[in-house]
Amino acid sequence: MTSPPAPRRPTFWLGVPLTLALLASAVGCDRGTEGPAAGGDVAVAPQAPAPLIPRRLIFGDADRSRARISPDGRWITYLGPVEGVKNLWIAPVDEPGAAVPLTEDRGRGIHAYQWAFDGRHVLFLQDRDGDETWRVLGVDVLSRAVRPLTPEGVRARMLHASPHRPGQVVVGLHQRDLRFADPHVLDLATGKLELLMENPGFPDLLLDDDYRVRFAGRADPDGGSTLMRLDDGTWREWQKVPMEDDLTTAMEGLDHEGGTLYLVDSRGRDTSGLFAVDLATGERTLLHGDPRADVADVWFDPLSGRPVAVAVDALRKEWVAFDPELAGVFEQLRAGTEGDPELVASTTDGQLWLVGDVPSHRPFSYVLFDRRRGETRRLFGSRDALEGVAMAPMRPVTLEARDGLELPSYLTLPPDSDPDGDGRPEEPLPMVLEVHGGPWARDRYGHDPEHQLWANRGYAVLSINFRGSTGFGKRFVNAGNREWAGKMQEDLIDGVRWAVEEGIAREDRVAIQGTSYGGFAALVGMTQTPELFACGVDIVGPSSLLTVVESVPPHWLPLLDMWATRVGDFRSEEGRARLEQISPLAHVGAIKRPLLIAHGANDPRVKLEESEQIVAAMREKGIPVTFVLFPDEGHGFRRAANARAFRAITEAYFADCLGGRAEPFGDAFEGSSVTVPEGAEHVEGLAEALGTAAGDAS
C-alpha cells in the first residue's frame, strides 16, 4: 500500500492527491482483449524447467536502487547494502564503479532519500522498527557526518525544496497537533528550524519557491475536498473538488514566479489531464490529456518550475514532451532502453538526466543522458547477480468483468511453459493471484520480484487492476465505492475464471495473496468463496473494517469522511452493521483451505490486532492457520532478511498447496527476527528450520 516515488518536480514526497497522500498508501470473464492470439497447430518441443533462482538474489537488498544525480552533476548516489543493511552510497558521476558508502547504518536501513539543492547534503527518513514516526536526517557528502535534523519522536515529512534557496528545505512536523503538520524552514548548515505558520487544520500544504505557503487541501464531510488559497494572511475557499474527482485531482506545483498553478484534474472529464491555471485571471489551459488513462507523472524543469514532459500509463508508460526539440530525446531514450524509460532525476540546469530502464524480464538499470551531447550511457544495473539470468516477461492483458468493465492486468508465465510465446502455457498451471494494496493504487508493468519468484517456481502469476484502482479515470476508481468485498472482489474472481477458461490456470490450484487491502481481499476470498482458492496469504490485511477504522493514526483522522464515503459509514448503526457483515472476521467459520497470515508488530496503519483477532477466532473454531510475526517491522517487511524469511515460508507453503517447486529453507532465517506464534507445523519443514535457526543463533 505504498506508492512508488514519481519523477515530478523535486518537492520530495508531495504531488499526489490530498487523500492519496495520507490514506491511499494506508489501508498499494471473458477472453482478454490484448496480447497475441493462441497459436495454430504447431508442434513445440517441451523445454526443461528454468534453473531455480535463489530467493536471496530476488529478495535481497538490490546492489543499487533509488539512484539519484546531485543537483550540480558531480555525484551519483544510490541505496545499497553494507553488511546486509541498506545504506547510501556515492560515486563521481564519471566513475560509477568507484562508489563508497556514505552512511553506515546498522539498524533498519535507509529506504527513502533526496538531494538538497545545495549539492552537499543528502536528506533521508528513518522510523523506529516500522512505526512510521519518520525523522529527517542529513548527511554531508564532504565530511560524511550524519545529523538528525528533526526532533526524535515527532513525525516529520518533507514539504518543499527550492533551487532558489538551496541551503534550506521545508519540513512538516506533527508536534503541536498530531493530526496536522506545521511547516518549518530547516537551515541545512545550522540545523535551525523556523516555524512558518501554525497549520489551521489542513492535511496538505503547497508552498512556492520562496517558501511561502500558498495553497492547502481541506478534507470535506462529503468525501471531497476544497482547495484553499492563502492571500494576505487570510485563507479563502478557492475551488471545490467533488468526491468523484478527489482521487483523480491534485495540485502538482507552482512555477518559480508563483503566478501559475499546475493541476492534474479530472473535473469536467473522465481521465485526469494536466492543466495550467493563471492565478491572476483564473484561466485554465489543458496542457495534456489522454482518454485511455490519467496523467501518471509530470516532469518539471527545476529552475522554472514549468512542466517539461508528462506521462500516461494505460498498460505501459508513455512520455510526451512539451518542447518539440525534446520529442526526439524521448524517441532516443525509448530506442536505447529495453523496457519503459523512467525519468528519475536531473541536474538543476536540466542538462544531465538520470533515466531508469524498466523491463519486466530483467532488473531495473540506470542510464545517464547528456542533453548537450545527445548521448546516453549505461551506468549500472540494480542486481548484478541477476544479470544474464533467464527471467519471465510480464505480459499486459485486458480482462473483462461480468458487467463489461475492462480490467487492465498483467500476466507472467514460467518461460518453459510457453515456448511459442503466445501468452498461453502448453497446459494449465497452478496460479498465484497477486492483489495490490491501497486499494487506491495500481499494478503496473515492470520487474516485479513476486512475479519472478512465483513464475520461476512454476506458477502463472496474475495481477488485476480491479475497480477502485487508480490511474484509469474517475469512473473506474469510483466504481469501487462501497464495493469492498463486493464488486471489487468479483473483479478478482472474474480474473481467475478468465485464466481457467483460457487454459492458463488449473481450477483446483489457485492461490490468492496480497498486502494491506490485498490482504483483506485474500481473507475475503478465503471466507466468501472458500472453494475457489486452494490457499491464501494475508500480509498486514484488515480482518475487521470496524476495528481498523477505530484505530487509525492521528494524521488520518481528517480523512475519515472520505473513508465513510468510499468504504462505509462507520458512524451510523446501519453502516456499522454493514461493515461488520462484509468483514472476514465475521465469517471465519467458512474457511476451508489453508491460510497464512503475516504481520509486523509495530504497524501503525493496520494494527497487529487485525491479524491477532482472526487468528484467535480460527483457533477457537479449530481451524488450522499459520501466523508469522516480525517484532521489528511495521506495515510490510522492509528489512531484507525479513523479506527473505517470509518468502521462504510462503514458498514452502505454496509448494504444499499448489505443488510447485521450492528452494530448501537453508539459511533463510539468518539475520531475521521472524517468529511463528501459531501453526508452524502446517508448513512442511518450517518448525524444524525455525528450531535449527534458533539453535544457530544461540
Side-chain angles (χ1 to χ4, degrees):
M1 293 203 206
T2 56
S3 301
R8 294 178 163 90
R9 192 180 185 197
T11 53
F12 295 81
W13 296 278
L14 284 183
V16 292
L18 165 64
T19 45
L20 288 184
L22 299 175
L23 187 58
S25 61
V27 166
C29 291
D30 297 325
R31 183 180 176 83
T33 58
E34 288 201 21
D41 297 328
V42 179
V44 179
Q47 294 188 354
L52 208 67
I53 303 173
R55 57 181 165 263
R56 181 175 288 271
L57 299 187
I58 299 177
F59 284 101
D61 277 333
D63 299 298
R64 304 165 200 90
S65 64
R66 294 187 181 270
R68 297 292 184 266
I69 189 169
S70 63
D72 57 12
R74 294 179 60 195
W75 306 103
I76 291 286
T77 49
Y78 58 80
L79 297 179
V82 176
E83 296 184 13
V85 179
K86 190 177 290 186
N87 274 271
L88 274 163
W89 290 66
I90 190 168
V93 72
D94 293 327
E95 296 181 81
V100 295
L102 189 55
T103 60
E104 296 183 354
D105 187 80
R106 293 295 184 268
R108 188 165 172 78
I110 299 170
H111 300 274
Y113 77 95
Q114 180 70 46
W115 275 92
F117 277 108
D118 65 359
R120 179 166 178 170
H121 293 92
V122 179
L123 310 178
F124 58 94
L125 297 176
Q126 285 190 314
D127 67 354
R128 297 173 299 188
D129 291 336
D131 68 356
E132 298 186 12
T133 304
W134 302 108
R135 191 180 194 186
V136 180
L137 296 93
V139 55
D140 185 319
V141 301
L142 300 182
S143 69
R144 309 294 168 89
V146 177
R147 291 183 300 156
L149 297 172
T150 59
E152 185 175 5
V154 176
R155 188 176 191 270
R157 57 190 179 112
M158 303 302 303
L159 294 182
H160 194 61
S162 168
H164 304 279
R165 295 181 65 171
Q168 299 173 323
V169 297
V170 181
V171 299
L173 300 181
H174 292 261
Q175 187 172 28
R176 180 187 58 85
D177 189 327
L178 296 180
R179 298 169 299 167
F180 308 110
D182 291 335
H184 293 70
V185 175
L186 169 63
D187 188 282
L188 298 175
T190 65
K192 180 182 177 182
L193 286 164
E194 179 185 351
L195 177 67
L196 277 176
M197 61 172 286
E198 290 190 353
N199 188 334
F202 302 130
D204 202 17
L205 299 172
L206 183 70
L207 294 87
D208 63 21
D209 276 349
D210 290 325
Y211 293 165
R212 296 174 299 178
V213 178
R214 298 282 304 279
F215 289 89
R218 183 189 70 192
D220 292 340
D222 62 358
S225 59
T226 300
L227 304 183
M228 306 292 294
R229 183 172 178 175
L230 182 61
D231 286 320
D232 299 323
T234 301
W235 284 104
R236 294 181 174 88
E237 292 187 0
W238 184 58
Q239 292 186 10
K240 287 283 188 180
V241 180
M243 181 276 296
E244 57 266 25
D245 293 285
D246 196 55
L247 292 180
T248 43
T249 298
M251 296 181 291
E252 290 292 314
L254 294 152
D255 67 355
H256 172 56
E257 290 77 16
T260 302
L261 174 67
Y262 297 100
L263 281 172
V264 168
D265 197 344
S266 65
R267 289 173 295 177
R269 48 188 294 126
D270 178 33
T271 59
S272 64
L274 178 64
F275 288 83
V277 182
D278 187 312
L279 296 177
T281 66
E283 181 182 359
R284 287 164 48 94
T285 303
L286 176 63
L287 301 180
H288 187 78
D290 191 309
R292 299 171 301 161
D294 297 322
V295 167
D297 289 318
V298 185
W299 186 260
F300 288 92
D301 176 78
L303 287 173
S304 70
R306 299 187 185 99
V308 172
V310 65
V312 295
D313 189 350
L315 281 169
R316 299 280 297 268
K317 182 173 281 189
E318 303 170 20
W319 286 94
V320 176
F322 292 122
D323 183 345
E325 180 185 340
L326 289 180
V329 170
F330 281 92
E331 288 298 329
Q332 183 178 346
L333 291 176
R334 277 189 286 268
T337 53
E338 284 190 68
D340 296 342
E342 179 73 77
L343 303 186
V344 174
S346 76
T347 53
T348 303
D349 63 10
Q351 296 306 307
L352 291 178
W353 292 9
L354 188 61
V355 180
D357 183 359
V358 193
S360 65
H361 63 287
R362 67 170 179 77
F364 197 98
S365 62
Y366 294 92
V367 298
L368 188 68
F369 174 69
D370 188 324
R371 284 184 63 184
R372 292 189 186 94
R373 300 177 179 177
E375 296 175 353
T376 300
R377 64 182 173 94
R378 187 177 188 271
L379 293 175
F380 40 65
S382 57
R383 295 178 180 270
D384 293 341
L386 288 178
E387 293 291 341
V389 174
M391 305 187 86
M394 176 183 280
R395 183 182 298 270
V397 294
T398 300
L399 316 181
E400 190 171 300
R402 64 190 70 180
D403 62 1
L405 185 68
E406 291 188 344
L407 307 174
S409 305
Y410 300 94
L411 175 68
T412 302
L413 299 175
D416 54 283
S417 72
D418 182 24
D420 58 2
D422 68 349
R424 301 293 182 270
E426 294 302 295
E427 58 183 28
L429 299 168
M431 187 177 83
V432 177
L433 176 66
E434 288 277 357
V435 187
H436 71 68
W440 305 293
R442 61 163 292 174
D443 283 309
R444 63 185 71 244
Y445 175 86
H447 181 81
D448 187 308
E450 294 277 356
H451 274 240
Q452 293 301 330
L453 178 67
W454 304 134
N456 182 258
R457 276 25 177 188
Y459 310 123
V461 192
L462 181 64
S463 293
I464 300 171
N465 285 304
F466 45 87
R467 69 193 70 207
S469 302
T470 54
F472 307 100
K474 66 186 181 187
R475 283 196 294 268
F476 192 89
V477 71
N478 290 323
N481 291 346
R482 300 206 174 187
E483 291 295 345
W484 289 42
K487 292 182 179 179
M488 293 164 72
Q489 194 75 16
E490 290 177 359
D491 290 346
L492 301 175
I493 295 169
D494 291 346
V496 171
R497 290 175 176 165
W498 167 83
V500 170
E501 291 168 4
E502 287 294 302
I504 295 168
R506 284 185 52 174
E507 188 172 15
D508 61 338
R509 296 285 181 89
V510 177
I512 182 170
Q513 172 176 273
T515 300
S516 202
Y517 173 82
F520 171 82
L523 293 177
V524 172
M526 300 303 290
T527 54
Q528 193 180 84
T529 50
E531 303 287 353
L532 180 63
F533 297 105
C535 51
V537 179
D538 154 36
I539 305 166
V540 299
S543 61
S544 167
L545 296 182
L546 285 177
T547 55
V548 75
V549 78
E550 289 169 349
S551 62
V552 298
H555 55 281
W556 286 0
L557 293 175
L559 304 180
L560 289 184
D561 289 321
M562 185 273 261
W563 176 278
T565 301
R566 295 189 180 274
V567 183
D569 187 359
F570 56 91
R571 297 180 177 122
S572 71
E573 184 176 341
E574 180 183 357
R576 291 178 65 83
R578 177 182 173 276
L579 289 174
E580 183 177 15
Q581 192 276 328
I582 65 174
S583 294
L585 187 61
H587 306 283
V588 167
I591 297 174
K592 298 181 178 180
R593 303 283 172 77
L595 181 57
L596 174 64
I597 294 175
H599 221 108
N602 306 308
D603 191 339
R605 311 183 192 185
V606 179
K607 298 289 179 65
L608 177 59
E609 172 193 9
E610 294 301 315
S611 288
E612 289 180 329
Q613 63 193 7
I614 196 167
V615 168
M618 293 178 69
R619 184 192 310 119
E620 183 178 336
K621 292 182 178 293
I623 302 172
V625 61
T626 301
F627 179 37
V628 180
L629 177 64
F630 293 92
D632 58 350
E633 293 284 7
H635 197 67
F637 312 137
R638 289 284 190 118
R639 292 186 57 229
N642 290 339
R644 286 196 305 272
F646 180 66
R647 266 60 186 204
I649 294 172
T650 311
E651 189 177 345
Y653 169 80
F654 279 163
D656 288 346
C657 75
L658 298 180
R661 303 189 300 172
E663 180 185 358
F665 282 110
D667 63 354
F669 304 135
E670 180 182 338
S672 173
S673 66
V674 63
T675 65
V676 185
E678 186 92 19
E681 68 275 12
H682 303 314
V683 179
E684 185 175 353
L686 176 56
E688 294 80 3
L690 287 168
T692 300
D696 291 343
S698 63

